[in-house]
Amino acid sequence: MSHQQPHSDDPIENIVHTAPVVIPLLGGLMIFLLAFIAVFMA
């Protein structure tokens, strides 16, 4: 445990940490937009 970084600016690591939160939000947003368009066009 002697070699550890308290804060890393690695973009890949940041994406890995935020992916479980961002992906469901984007999925829900896309579904909401598609449903809104379907209702608006109908």
Side-chain angles (χ1 to χ4, degrees):
M1 285 282 196
S2 61
H3 183 269
Q4 57 174 268
Q5 295 172 321
H7 182 70
S8 64
D9 289 326
D10 193 5
I12 295 172
E13 193 170 340
N14 288 331
I15 290 170
V16 168
H17 284 303
T18 55
V21 178
V22 173
I23 290 172
L25 289 175
L26 288 176
L29 184 63
M30 286 297 295
I31 291 170
F32 178 77
L33 287 174
L34 288 172
F36 179 76
I37 291 169
V39 170
F40 186 74
M41 295 289 282

